[in-house]
Each structure stands twice: as structure tokens, then as C-alpha cells.
Amino acid sequence: MLAEREHENLTRGRSVPAVFGSARLVDDPDWEWEFAAHLKRSHTVLELLAMFSRYRNDEGPLESQLRRILFRAMCQSVGHALQIGPGVVVKHPESMVFGDGVFIGAQAMIQGRYDGTCRIGNHVWIGPQAYFDARNLVLEDYVGWGPGAKVLGSSHTALPVDVPIISTELRIEPVVIGYGADIGTNATILPGVHVGAHSIIGAGAVVTEDVPEYAVVAGVPARLIRRRKDICSSELEVDTTSQERLADDGQLATTRSSYKGTE
């Protein structure tokens, strides 16, 4: 039986419950918050970054906990249950805000700017080796960010043309990834792009323009393939009153909900 199950698992696709997106959040202990607050009061960001580098590459539970505490001390704010994989690099954490339940995979890099803003929402999952030009970046809640995916938040003007491009002015454009969107492995989001809520970006796609809500885009440059749904849940009307009645013994006998979609 076990051999048959193993064979089936190896030869057929299957669906299993999501782990990260449905996991119950466990609050960090009070002493972690107090320790982080002490570190923030008594050290500069550069000193804290130096401490962080000592524990950056190890995978032990103590090192993982210390990385979370140091992130909380360095950043503007960090919610509960932040997980930071080994080898993560961060620049200008003082410009960053992290929500609850954020996961950052191994060897990811988040590059902020001293005068920038980077906001990562609640329950965001960031795959390993991801890169963020986070000088003006928002990831809303429940965003999934595939391994190796990148966001660029700036580009050189390349003007005047007789000046080396790297020496021309840098233009920073905000990037926003909407609620519940999913960014495929090795995709690239270019400066100024707004990815709509619940959208899917295909693996390896290069996104040069805004993406509407519930869209699926792929390719280089990315193009719309399909829409995930034509009727938004907000347009559904829930009717739970007409089908309820109480039996003589006082117990609820029948409850039925009907959903009426609008075309």
C-alpha cells in the first residue's frame, strides 16, 4: 500500500492544504519585544547591522530568533512571527515596515534607501534568492513572491546621451503589489508598475505595465492571458433569511444559503 502511494505521488499531481497561508499566527514572547526595544535605544542602525551579520548565515533556532529580534530593532516596525532565512541581506532597514507572519527566504536581498519607504504587509511569503529594490515599495497582505523574483524600483534617465548612463540621474518610481497577488519564479517587476490584487504573474515574466485585478499575465514583456474571474465576490448577494425555520422542538431545522451572482 505504501509503495502504491509513493508511486502515485511520484507520477500524479495532487492537491494538499496550504501551510503558510493558513497557519495560525503565534505571537512572539514579550521579552523579545523588550530586548529589541533596548537594542533600538542603545545602538545605531549600523551597529545593529553589524550584529545581524554575525548571525546571518546560520540555520539554528537561536540564530533565527536573534535575526528576528535584530530586525525588530533595526526596522521602523516588525509584527509577530517574522521568519528570516539564512543569508538574507538588508540595506537601510530603518525605512522598512513588516507586518505579522512574514517569511523571508534564504539569500534574499532587500535594498532600501535612507529616504525611501518599504512596506511589507501581513502574511507575505518571499522565496529564496529574491531581490527587492525597496526604495519605494509596497507589498500588500498575503502576497506570494516566487524564488528568484525581482522588483526594480528605479532606472537612470540616460540623458544627456553623451554622458555614461550610470552617471545620469536616477528616477525612483513606486511599485505596489496588490493584496493576495502571486509573483512567479524569476519574474521581474519594473519601476512604476502596480500589480492588481489577486493577480498571477507567470514564471520568468517581465512586467512593464500595470496589471489589473484578478489577471494572469506571462511572457516578455508580460501580456494578459486570462482573467481569474469575471464576477467579483463583492457582487454576490447572500440570502440566508428565507430558508430558515424553527421546528416545534425549538431546534433549527433547516438552514440554507443561496448565492445570487450579478451578470
Side-chain angles (χ1 to χ4, degrees):
M1 186 66 181
L2 180 60
E4 292 178 359
R5 184 179 302 167
E6 288 179 346
H7 177 73
E8 184 173 329
N9 288 343
L10 289 172
T11 56
R12 299 180 60 182
R14 58 193 174 123
S15 296
V16 298
V19 176
F20 178 81
S22 58
R24 188 175 69 86
L25 187 71
V26 177
D27 288 352
D28 299 330
D30 291 343
W31 72 264
E32 277 197 19
W33 292 82
E34 293 166 1
F35 187 24
H38 167 73
L39 291 173
K40 186 185 284 285
R41 288 192 302 268
S42 56
H43 294 80
T44 66
V45 172
L46 288 178
E47 290 171 339
L48 293 169
L49 277 169
M51 289 186 204
F52 180 78
S53 67
R54 299 175 194 169
Y55 308 104
R56 176 182 296 152
N57 297 318
D58 294 321
E59 296 198 39
L62 175 61
E63 289 78 6
S64 179
Q65 190 173 29
L66 288 171
R67 285 197 288 269
R68 178 169 61 234
I69 293 170
L70 287 165
F71 244 65
R72 183 167 287 133
M74 293 188 294
C75 297
Q76 286 187 25
S77 67
V78 171
H80 287 282
L82 173 66
Q83 300 178 67
I84 306 170
V88 170
V89 175
V90 62
K91 303 290 186 184
H92 290 292
E94 71 275 15
S95 66
M96 299 177 185
V97 173
F98 291 84
D100 292 324
V102 174
F103 173 89
I104 306 174
Q107 300 176 0
M109 180 173 185
I110 307 176
Q111 182 171 356
R113 180 181 157 94
Y114 70 94
D115 59 352
T117 300
C118 171
R119 296 185 180 278
I120 309 293
N122 300 309
H123 306 286
V124 171
W125 189 90
I126 297 171
Q129 298 183 329
Y131 172 75
F132 293 88
D133 177 345
R135 286 173 277 201
N136 199 344
L137 173 68
V138 175
L139 268 59
E140 296 180 351
D141 296 348
Y142 287 98
V143 166
W145 194 272
K150 302 171 180 64
V151 58
L152 304 179
S154 62
S155 60
H156 289 278
T157 62
L159 295 171
V161 295
D162 57 344
V163 172
I165 294 171
I166 199 172
S167 300
T168 60
E169 286 189 349
L170 195 65
R171 182 163 181 79
I172 298 171
E173 299 282 359
V175 174
V176 178
I177 310 298
Y179 177 96
D182 192 76
I183 312 299
T185 300
N186 287 326
T188 300
I189 313 296
L190 293 189
V193 166
H194 185 163
V195 175
H198 305 285
S199 294
I200 295 175
I201 308 300
V206 177
V207 185
T208 60
E209 300 176 347
D210 288 354
V211 176
E213 293 185 352
Y214 292 100
V216 179
V217 303
V220 181
R223 293 285 184 263
L224 180 67
I225 295 176
R226 64 182 174 87
R227 296 183 184 277
R228 295 182 62 204
K229 60 188 300 188
D230 295 321
I231 302 174
C232 296
S233 58
S234 60
E235 296 175 307
L236 297 176
E237 178 185 350
V238 180
D239 181 0
T240 59
T241 58
S242 62
Q243 302 299 326
E244 294 182 0
R245 66 178 177 82
L246 292 175
D248 293 340
D249 61 0
Q251 299 298 312
L252 186 65
T254 303
T255 300
R256 190 179 68 185
S257 300
S258 61
Y259 292 82
K260 299 177 180 178
T262 56
E263 297 297 335

